[in-house]
Amino acid sequence: IPDGVKSIGESAFSGCSSLTSITIPSSVKSIEAKAFAYCNSLKSVTLPKDITTISKEMFLQCKALANVDIPEGVTSIEKDAFWYCNSLVSIDIPAGVTTIGDGAFYKCNKLKNIVIPTGVDTIMDKTFYACNALDCITLPENLKVIKNSAFENCVNLKSIEIPESVTIIGNYAFKGCSRLQNITIPESVSYIGVA
């Protein structure tokens, strides 16, 4: 992508099945939804430092994606951003992120551990659904809500400490977490959904 480009439009590279890596110049300030969706051979991406959003379905089903550095200025990771990126082993979420959308890391089967920044107060529906390798997750101290199926079918998750700020745990939040041995539910929780 040539320097000087300011925006990458919706579905711009969607379905480019032979694309293996991409470097996006610093001139780019926004990348719209599905920009790299279904790029099945895409292994690495260098994102520009000035973007603030990982848009909806940006890397949807990029099954080879193993390396992506999220810039420090990003504040939002939108719905299904990394949906079924099943080669993604780890990802650093910047401290400034306050929103992680529904299904953002849905079926990221090799994602082993993740730290949620302190600005995030809600784990949305199916955010980490069926992240089969996930064995360690650090939840932020000011987290208030864990929504429906947030960690459903995370079969390797062995323990989780829920912060004392949490008031709601949604339906099926930990359903199918067959290796879960230790969970601490604080007194602040007023509602736990169906299992």
Side-chain angles (χ1 to χ4, degrees):
I1 296 174
D3 197 21
V5 172
K6 294 181 179 178
S7 178
I8 297 174
E10 184 170 341
S11 302
F13 295 93
S14 180
C16 291
S17 57
S18 296
L19 186 66
T20 58
S21 68
I22 191 162
T23 300
I24 301 169
S26 59
S27 59
V28 172
K29 309 299 182 195
S30 68
I31 303 170
E32 295 185 19
K34 298 182 182 178
F36 304 101
Y38 308 109
C39 291
N40 295 329
S41 300
L42 185 64
K43 292 181 180 178
S44 67
V45 176
T46 302
L47 295 170
K49 62 181 178 61
D50 289 338
I51 63 167
T52 58
T53 301
I54 304 297
S55 62
K56 178 182 175 182
E57 301 174 355
M58 185 186 287
F59 298 106
L60 179 76
Q61 216 163 334
C62 290
K63 293 186 176 184
L65 187 63
N67 181 26
V68 57
D69 291 325
I70 299 176
E72 289 296 318
V74 168
T75 58
S76 176
I77 299 172
E78 294 186 348
K79 177 178 166 64
D80 299 334
F82 295 96
W83 193 92
Y84 211 177
C85 291
N86 60 357
S87 292
L88 197 63
V89 174
S90 67
I91 193 163
D92 291 326
I93 300 176
V97 169
T98 57
T99 303
I100 301 175
D102 294 349
F105 297 97
Y106 182 99
K107 283 196 174 183
C108 290
N109 295 329
K110 292 185 180 175
L111 189 64
K112 287 192 170 183
N113 57 68
I114 198 159
V115 176
I116 309 293
T118 56
V120 175
D121 65 7
T122 303
I123 307 293
M124 301 297 283
D125 293 347
K126 297 186 177 181
T127 300
F128 298 102
Y129 180 94
C131 289
N132 295 337
L134 188 67
D135 59 13
C136 179
I137 187 157
T138 303
L139 299 176
E141 291 181 5
N142 68 331
L143 186 70
K144 293 179 176 61
V145 179
I146 299 172
K147 287 200 167 184
N148 300 336
S149 302
F151 298 99
E152 185 176 345
N153 291 332
C154 289
V155 295
N156 233 10
L157 192 63
K158 293 173 184 169
S159 68
I160 190 165
E161 187 171 335
I162 298 173
E164 293 186 5
S165 53
V166 171
T167 59
I168 295 171
I169 299 174
N171 299 332
Y172 313 116
F174 299 99
K175 182 180 179 181
C177 295
S178 54
R179 293 189 184 176
L180 191 61
Q181 297 171 353
N182 183 23
I183 187 166
T184 304
I185 298 175
E187 291 183 7
S188 58
V189 173
S190 60
Y191 176 83
I192 300 175
V194 299

